[in-house]
């Protein structure tokens, strides 16, 4: 992609309204713009990141045996009344009347809609277990939306719902999602810690939230350092094996202290965790999972016949990941004083290609050749072909934070070499194009 | 994918509420379920089709030099008041009040939001032209939602907006989208005819709608048969070449009669089109493009400085494709008495693999081997591994309408051969697995 043709309205000044670093950087890097209070437009650069996060989340959901569907944003209030949550939900629910004066709402979550769908489509235990998810926009009418996409009103969420015959089978579904979340966040380049949590308005008796470490995070956290040193991706998980999945969950939950300020107990922390293994820092919630049994299936009539022909309500859980929130959360976790430092799997482009002297024949030719070579190799490159100063281009590359910066300058263009540097390192090296390609390909 | 594990709630009975064939088939094939009036849940099979359509639309939008963004579903009423459309729009607009009593609405279209975005981000003619699009849910509160996803209330649309300095440049953007639409529908396996159209609530002075041929379509159409015989995809379009793009548009609009009942003139039709070239049939609108100049840029202050430093309002157009509507429209165009006949580019799976005798060792082994071979070749296959009658499996395969049906039966399992048949042909052939794979790969 040529920078001169791209729609990338960066900002030189730090916008005053932005209180936290991710919000400031997303505005400055031209990733989002606010349309109205707590509601954002995703510009091309921001959308690329969000799409990559969604695709990666989707991949791990499918790997765990879930099926993707898509529920609508607008729901009927009747289902919520039937489940008993309509009046309880409070002013965060955006309540709507249509032209026929029927009560609708913009879904803040989808337990009612999917339980009703299930009740209308599945009748036998033979069709269980089932894990159904979607990635869809939600709305919560926050009184004071703030922190950019971290606490917006309209936000993109992945929510999965499990349906099982027995509490034990339902626990296995819960465990599958638990492990799938560990894998998802690890693949995103994040350190995520599962912590026991309150169930809140979703309900139920078992819940974990997944917190990622970020020095600028919203919550104070205390945990056992061992939790941060686990290599999740090296586990070859067989999701059909109940015992194996349960063992992974156990290994992350038993015998390890991990709490946010909500549940932190300083005495217990000191007693349970040896001093050398104590971690105290800050974090951001990016996922939350719930088991709530028959809370929705009973009132909404989601029953199946069991092997003996008895009709029983299905056991359910729900499992959320804040997809749009993760864009901000990753920036909170991955930035420095110059800008964003994207983990490669979610970087909008892999390479900032800078032509220091646009108009210089050798520079233009080498930059074009380099762009084409990168594209041919399937590497996403943003080529800064504008007639701007080298300093402005370097600053912007640091701000945008792609994993690599490749510079073509009059000093090295004649020899066909490129100065390449990783975003997170200070040292650059000057190498021929072929070698640069090899270094990049081997690194990812 | 194994049928036994898939979430595919097909229906044996034709649902009474469904008036048209695509609605009936989508319900029977387990593609969608209605959640509440005119609002649908997309089940895995339906979502696969919609995602493929969206990806293909996206690909052609990008090819024409557009950039993808994502605007929110909820908009501020203030922008609509400023542009003068809020009171005019009528009861199809879903009007909402938030907890602070501010007027919001669920976007039925996005001219206001994107013009405001543009006004806040682009200031110079040097940053033009610009084509920005998104694929996002819209809401139109139809008084009588019907015909399933063809006239639902919540629907997925691709809408693109062009920004240019001059009316001539804006016409080039319009022409680019015109050609891009011809390519898009051709790649979807549809015959689309551009027809001059009214501009309606969008406004402006130039508009075309794109109608696809379907015997069960909503509108009567009359056109010159030559329009149906053009091979759009063989044109190697250079979108930067104004004259070339204009010539393609001219060749589709000048000298060819093409009208819906809205504008049809029987005398003119008889006079202009020789009898052998007269086509009369039915069609469905799947795309609509508009040029409306400064209708939104003036009231919303979307100005740029031109080369002389004068501030001028940008020239705009907008370009819509009904993505969720296309799922129904394609079925209207592609079905027979047994079910759907998907064009390969949007088929949810390419192959229905049927094991006629589940439990038979040779059949099970060959079916497994075949499924793995197909998956290894990157071919999407749904393997019907259920313990059902052959007749039920054959009927379902016809209903779901994937391009190929591959059958493993006791008759041919020992010899390692498979009976393969295209959905649209009657003749089957029995061939070894390798040959079947070669036939499938060469056909697509």
């Amino acid at each position: 992609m040529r920078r001169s043709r791209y729609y990338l309205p960066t900002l030189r000044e730090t916008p005053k309204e932005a209180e936290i670093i991710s919000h400031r950087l997303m505005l400055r890097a031209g990733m989002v713009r606010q349309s109205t209070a707590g509601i954002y437009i995703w510009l091309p650069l921001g959308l690329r990141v969000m799409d990559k996060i969604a695709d990666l989340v989707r991949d791990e959901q499918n790997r765990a045996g879930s099926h993707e569907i898509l529920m609508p944003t607008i729901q009927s209030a009747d289902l919520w009344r039937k489940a008993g949550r309509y009046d309880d939900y409070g002013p965060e629910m955006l309540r709507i009347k249509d032209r026929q004066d029927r009560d609708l709402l913009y879904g803040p979550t989808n337990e009612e809609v999917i339980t009703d769908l299930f009740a209308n489509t599945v009748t036998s235990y033979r069709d269980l277990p089932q894990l159904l998810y979607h990635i869809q926009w939600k709305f919560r009418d926050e009184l004071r939306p703030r922190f950019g996409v971290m606490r917006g009103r309209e936000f993109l969420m992945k929510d999965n719902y499990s349906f099982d015959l027995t509490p034990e089978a339902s626990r296995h579904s819960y465990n599958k999602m638990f492990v799938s979340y560990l894998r998802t966040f690890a693949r995103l380049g994040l350190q995520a810690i599962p912590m026991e949590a309150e169930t809140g308005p979703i309900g139920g008796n078992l819940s974990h939230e997944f917190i990622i470490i970020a020095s600028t995070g919203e919550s104070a956290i205390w945990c056992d350092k061992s939790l941060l040193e686990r290599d999740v991706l090296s586990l070859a998980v067989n999701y059909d094996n109940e015992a194996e999945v349960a063992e992974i969950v156990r290994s992350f939950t038993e015998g390890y202290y991990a709490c946010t300020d909500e549940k932190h107990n300083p005495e217990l922390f000191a007693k349970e965790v040896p001093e050398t293994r104590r971690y105290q820092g800050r974090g951001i919630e990016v996922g939350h999972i719930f088991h709530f049994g028959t809370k929705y299936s009973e009132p909404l009539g989601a029953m199946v016949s069991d092997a003996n022909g008895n009709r029983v309500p299905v056991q359910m859980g729900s499992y959320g990941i804040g997809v749009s929130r993760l864009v901000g959360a990753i920036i909170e976790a991955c930035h420095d004083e110059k800008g964003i430092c994207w983990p490669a799997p979610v970087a909008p482009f892999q390479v900032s290609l800078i032509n220091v002297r646009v108009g210089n024949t050798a520079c233009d030719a080498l930059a074009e050749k380099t762009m084409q070579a990168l594209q041919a190799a399937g590497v996403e490159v943003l080529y800064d072909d504008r007639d701007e100063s080298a300093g402005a281009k370097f600053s912007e590359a640091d701000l945008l934070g792609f994993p690599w910066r490749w510079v073509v300058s009059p000093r090295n263009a004649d020899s066909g070499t490129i100065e390449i540097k990783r975003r997170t390192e200070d040292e650059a090296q000057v190498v021929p194009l072929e070698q640069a390609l090899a270094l990049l390909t081997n690194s990812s």
Side-chain angles (χ1 to χ4, degrees), chain A:
Chain A
M1 180 64 66
R2 284 169 203 279
R3 178 69 178 87
S4 61
R5 291 194 167 198
Y6 203 44
Y7 178 60
L8 180 52
T10 54
L11 296 174
R12 266 156 225 250
E13 308 295 321
T14 296
K16 285 193 211 84
E17 77 268 27
E19 298 170 55
I20 60 169
I21 188 70
S22 61
H23 191 191
R24 288 199 287 268
L25 289 173
M26 287 180 75
L27 289 171
R28 284 187 52 212
M31 294 177 63
V32 292
R33 282 289 174 114
Q34 182 170 283
S35 181
T36 187
I39 300 180
Y40 287 85
I41 301 170
W42 292 79
L43 308 187
L45 202 74
L47 182 58
R48 286 178 82 100
V49 176
M50 188 160 67
D51 281 346
K52 288 192 180 189
I53 294 172
D55 282 346
L56 195 150
V57 167
R58 183 176 281 125
D59 189 52
E60 287 296 330
Q61 291 290 298
N62 295 344
R63 189 189 294 257
S66 320
H67 297 299
E68 187 174 7
I69 65 173
L70 187 55
M71 288 176 271
T73 59
I74 299 297
Q75 306 179 7
S76 161
D78 290 344
L79 285 177
W80 285 68
R81 292 202 178 96
K82 211 166 155 187
R85 272 211 296 184
Y86 186 68
D87 294 323
D88 296 350
Y89 206 90
E92 281 192 11
M93 180 190 279
L94 191 66
R95 291 157 210 259
I96 305 169
K97 276 198 191 292
D98 72 9
R99 67 193 291 180
Q100 316 237 34
D101 219 35
R102 286 174 296 212
D103 286 321
L104 302 175
L105 57 97
Y106 199 120
T109 175
N110 286 60
E111 280 79 8
E112 282 79 359
V113 169
I114 201 155
T115 307
D116 181 59
L117 171 71
F118 186 90
N120 289 318
T121 52
V122 178
T123 55
S124 162
Y125 76 98
R126 284 192 202 87
D127 294 323
L128 301 181
Q130 202 57 265
L131 279 162
L132 302 175
Y133 75 99
H134 74 159
I135 300 179
Q136 178 61 295
W137 292 90
K138 313 284 190 292
F139 201 97
R140 288 183 194 162
D141 199 2
E142 300 269 356
L143 188 57
R144 291 195 306 142
R146 56 203 292 219
F147 305 149
V149 301
M150 297 277 287
R151 202 188 291 174
R153 294 200 288 172
E154 186 169 330
F155 59 97
L156 188 63
M157 192 165 125
K158 183 287 298 175
D159 34 327
N160 190 323
Y161 302 86
S162 64
F163 302 89
D164 288 278
L165 184 63
T166 65
E168 297 72 37
S170 188
R171 180 61 202 246
H172 177 50
S173 292
Y174 184 93
N175 288 345
K176 280 175 16 179
M177 282 298 114
F178 189 107
V179 173
S180 145
Y181 276 33
L182 291 174
R183 284 186 52 87
T184 300
F185 298 121
R187 282 185 61 193
L188 288 169
L190 300 170
Q191 286 192 308
I193 311 163
M195 300 190 181
E196 254 188 80
E198 305 293 347
T199 56
I202 304 290
N205 49 24
L206 173 65
S207 175
H208 285 89
E209 53 189 358
F210 289 76
I211 308 275
I212 61 163
I213 304 284
S215 60
T216 52
E218 64 205 348
S219 320
I221 54 170
W222 292 262
C223 74
D224 190 317
K225 269 186 192 158
S226 325
L227 285 170
L228 302 175
E229 290 153 7
R230 303 281 298 274
D231 177 8
V232 177
L233 293 178
S234 66
L235 302 167
V237 188
N238 173 5
Y239 282 106
D240 288 334
N241 185 329
E242 282 199 35
E244 183 184 322
V245 173
E247 174 53 26
I248 298 173
V249 173
R250 199 201 55 71
S251 78
F252 271 91
T253 50
E254 289 178 22
Y256 292 110
Y257 189 96
C259 284
T260 62
D261 30 16
E262 199 178 61
K263 294 205 166 187
H264 178 54
N265 177 335
E267 282 172 32
L268 204 63
F269 185 57
K271 187 178 146 211
E272 284 194 357
V273 188
E275 201 163 347
T276 54
R277 270 171 40 202
R278 282 179 209 155
Y279 178 86
Q280 183 181 347
R282 303 196 68 82
I284 300 169
E285 185 201 323
V286 288
H288 204 152
I289 64 178
F290 303 88
H291 172 75
F292 42 71
T294 60
K295 177 178 173 183
Y296 300 92
S297 55
E298 286 201 33
L300 291 166
M303 317 282 281
V304 292
S305 53
D306 67 14
N308 303 317
N310 301 315
R311 300 268 292 160
V312 295
V314 287
Q315 297 284 331
M316 292 178 58
S318 72
Y319 315 92
I321 289 181
V323 174
S324 50
R325 163 170 258 249
L326 265 169
V327 181
I330 291 171
I331 295 175
E332 294 289 335
C334 311
H335 69 272
D336 62 19
E337 71 287 352
K338 293 177 188 164
I340 305 168
C341 306
W342 291 114
V346 298
F349 293 89
Q350 296 305 310
V351 176
S352 280
L353 173 61
I354 292 176
N355 182 347
V356 160
R357 192 78 51 82
V358 171
N360 172 299
T361 313
C363 285
D364 290 354
L366 181 57
E368 287 289 336
K369 185 180 164 192
T370 303
M371 183 179 69
Q372 281 163 26
L374 283 165
Q375 287 173 339
V379 178
E380 295 155 311
V381 52
L382 185 66
Y383 167 30
D384 196 339
D385 59 340
R386 295 171 306 163
D387 189 13
E388 296 272 353
S389 73
K393 292 184 178 184
F394 286 175
S395 295
E396 185 176 289
D398 281 339
L399 172 65
L400 303 183
F402 310 154
W404 289 89
R405 188 186 77 190
W406 288 23
V407 178
V408 170
S409 73
R411 237 183 334 191
N412 51 34
D414 285 330
S415 62
T417 55
I418 299 157
E419 182 198 287
I420 69 173
K421 186 184 94 62
R422 286 175 182 273
R423 173 65 180 82
T424 49
E425 289 174 3
D426 291 325
E427 295 295 304
Q429 48 184 322
V430 177
V431 294
L433 175 55
E434 295 66 32
Q435 196 179 332
L437 282 170
L439 278 165
L440 186 145
T441 315
N442 294 335
S443 77
S444 52

